[in-house]
Amino acid sequence: MDAISLIVRSIFVDNMIFAYFLGMCSFLAVSKNVKTALGLGIAVTFVLVLTLPINYLLENYVLKAGALAWLGEEYATVDLSVFSLLIFIAVIASFVQLVEMVIERFSPSLYASLGIFLPLIAVNCAILGGSLFMQQREFANIGMATAYGFGSGIGWLLAIVGMAAIREKLEYSHVPKPLKGLGITFIITALMALGFMSFSGINI
Amino acid sequence: MALSSKTKAVLLGPLSKNNPIIVQVLGICSALAVTSKLEPSLVMAIAVTIVTAFANMIISLLRKSIPNRIRIIVQLVVVASLVTIVSEILKAYSYDVNKQLSVFVGLIVTNCILMGRLEAFALGNGPWPSFLDGIGNGLGYGWILVVVGFFRELLGSGTLMNFQVIPDALYEMGYENNGLMVLAPMALLLVGCIIWIHRANNKELQEETN
């Protein structure tokens, strides 16, 4: 039950894009049509779901203060949390590379449609942000961490697909010239974020 | 110090025509989240400038010895080490600001400005121009942050750098702080307006399609 409420919360209330602005760069750049937006959204969700549990294990059994206690008494005071950033990003980057190779080998058609976005995911702030928030919130177990990853990924997917749909419709409207493209995208995102704020404060 | 025209272009281009945020659309993530007050915006701007400059320089020094296939991981490791240093320094000397910035200091690692500049500039240029390019892009990023932070703090809380600037008399006359400005979406709206003004003045940057 906790896991479900966490998923719902991270989709609507703590939405990666509208509440924390994470993954904005690719959100703005790749939201021009629904199909590619959907592909990127799925890829991001996939990587989030896979990297969060790994980073959770690393955080709790290697990095946190006293996390190395399982190695023996003398390690109980070791605190490696300074390195968490390095480890997290290394896990994410190597994971993205791994996923890229696996997809390339087993499903060339999916690879062709995701191709360019896959390497981009390594530097998508939403992924690293997920790991850092996981560290900050100290989830109770690995299941919760995975649920959080899944929820955040779906939230991100929802946002980028919605945005792409609006931008496709926007083709037919008269936007002031200097606002065209980037400017209006920012303003739409702001309005969408205002809409999503109505979810805040909901306790499920 | 006399600068040649090329170095000048490298240093000053990112301030306006090539601005990382409003033209290249890089590094938006952190830019928006930390700007509800002026002070964290300033700190963030300085941190990003330092990290970009040094990461650019280091990658530029290493550029001939990095195998192409794993260059992203190498870049990320260099950047992550620099960011770790910056974040430890912040924790030591201004803990309050560090608390306000929360995960966003760590997120400098995935700030697209860094990767973008490393890929686009540092891999093909010498260390000194790369360093200047880093400074230029950091400053171009910084001034947008500071402008957004300035307006959000002024209109949202009536203060600047935590000092009250709107006189009490005005409040007595019925002036209210605009609480909406402190909320996250207003940062997007403000950046949208900056883009609008900027593009109105630079016609060549206007886009044809939505």
Side-chain angles (χ1 to χ4, degrees):
Chain A
M1 207 50 222
D2 280 354
I4 293 173
S5 87
L6 183 68
I7 289 178
V8 175
R9 273 192 66 83
S10 49
I11 293 178
F12 293 108
V13 185
D14 295 334
N15 189 291
M16 277 284 180
I17 286 182
F18 297 131
Y20 299 110
F21 303 122
L22 296 180
M24 278 304 266
C25 312
S26 34
F27 174 76
L28 293 172
V30 190
S31 59
K32 280 201 171 127
N33 76 62
V34 174
K35 216 172 165 192
T36 42
L38 189 67
L40 186 67
I42 291 173
V44 165
T45 312
F46 186 63
V47 176
L48 261 175
V49 169
L50 290 172
T51 51
L52 263 185
I54 297 178
N55 281 341
Y56 181 84
L57 291 178
L58 280 170
E59 160 78 7
N60 281 287
Y61 292 101
V62 180
L63 294 168
K64 215 160 66 178
L68 282 171
W70 55 273
L71 272 179
E73 282 293 302
E74 65 271 32
Y75 293 103
T77 51
V78 179
D79 181 1
L80 292 178
S81 49
V82 193
F83 298 115
S84 52
L85 209 58
L86 261 172
I87 305 265
F88 286 170
I89 198 69
V91 166
I92 292 168
S94 41
F95 215 91
V96 169
Q97 207 115 53
L98 199 76
V99 169
E100 194 184 343
M101 286 180 206
V102 170
I103 294 183
E104 192 178 8
R105 170 77 181 72
F106 291 105
S107 169
S109 61
L110 182 64
Y111 182 76
S113 59
L114 281 181
I116 24 162
F117 303 127
L118 274 171
L120 272 182
I121 293 174
V123 286
N124 188 317
C125 336
I127 313 269
L128 183 63
S131 286
L132 291 175
F133 277 125
M134 175 269 295
Q135 187 184 28
Q136 208 178 44
R137 293 184 189 179
E138 299 171 341
F139 289 123
N141 57 50
I142 187 168
M144 293 295 274
T146 319
Y148 179 69
F150 181 72
S152 318
I154 295 292
W156 200 88
L157 176 114
L158 204 70
I160 193 171
V161 170
M163 187 69 202
I166 294 179
R167 283 181 81 171
E168 278 188 2
K169 290 273 177 253
L170 212 65
E171 288 289 315
Y172 308 107
S173 47
H174 292 288
V175 179
K177 258 205 151 191
L179 261 184
K180 269 197 170 169
L182 195 56
I184 195 73
T185 313
F186 266 93
I187 289 172
I188 295 170
T189 317
L191 294 177
M192 282 173 86
L194 271 179
F196 261 74
M197 283 187 70
S198 57
F199 289 114
S200 66
I202 292 177
N203 277 316
I204 306 156
Chain B
M1 192 173 70
L3 292 168
S4 71
S5 61
K6 190 175 167 258
T7 22
K8 225 178 210 165
V10 165
L11 193 60
L12 299 180
L15 290 184
S16 164
K17 290 272 153 72
N18 243 330
N19 190 289
I21 293 188
I22 57 181
V23 181
Q24 303 178 52
V25 210
L26 298 174
I28 312 284
C29 332
S30 53
L32 300 171
V34 298
T35 49
S36 61
K37 288 254 155 77
L38 189 54
E39 197 185 0
S41 327
L42 263 176
V43 173
M44 192 69 183
I46 295 168
V48 169
T49 310
I50 292 171
V51 174
T52 321
F54 283 97
N56 251 353
M57 193 172 74
I58 293 171
I59 290 295
S60 166
L61 286 171
L62 293 173
R63 72 185 188 277
K64 298 212 171 76
S65 49
I66 303 176
N68 199 31
R69 214 164 154 71
I70 59 158
R71 66 175 194 288
I72 293 200
I73 298 183
V74 175
Q75 288 165 359
L76 282 176
V77 168
V78 168
V79 173
S81 330
L82 284 169
V83 171
T84 309
I85 296 171
V86 168
S87 114
E88 292 300 308
I89 292 174
L90 267 182
K91 266 184 206 150
Y93 291 103
S94 61
Y95 193 72
D96 290 341
V97 177
N98 188 60
K99 270 266 167 289
Q100 284 178 42
L101 291 175
S102 78
V103 299
F104 291 99
V105 177
L107 284 173
I108 298 178
V109 176
T110 48
N111 194 317
C112 333
I113 292 184
L114 282 158
M115 296 307 282
R117 290 330 288 169
L118 293 179
E119 287 278 311
F121 200 90
L123 282 176
N125 287 283
W128 176 239
S130 304
F131 184 76
L132 288 179
D133 181 73
I135 299 260
N137 276 287
L139 291 177
Y141 169 86
W143 80 257
I144 304 271
L145 246 72
V146 170
V147 168
V148 176
F150 175 84
F151 281 111
R152 284 180 76 189
E153 186 169 0
L154 181 68
L155 300 175
S157 339
T159 56
L160 280 179
M161 303 293 280
N162 295 325
F163 293 111
Q164 191 179 342
V165 287
I166 307 247
D168 283 328
L170 210 57
Y171 283 110
E172 279 156 24
M173 282 159 62
Y175 175 81
E176 290 273 350
N177 284 328
N178 184 353
L180 200 62
M181 292 305 282
V182 188
L183 299 176
M186 295 317 281
L188 285 162
L189 215 64
L190 271 175
V191 175
C193 293
I194 293 178
I195 291 174
W196 191 355
I197 296 167
H198 187 250
R199 294 211 170 160
N201 290 327
N202 295 282
K203 294 247 174 347
E204 72 275 13
L205 292 174
Q206 294 174 4
E207 293 168 55
E208 282 308 311
T209 57
N210 284 313

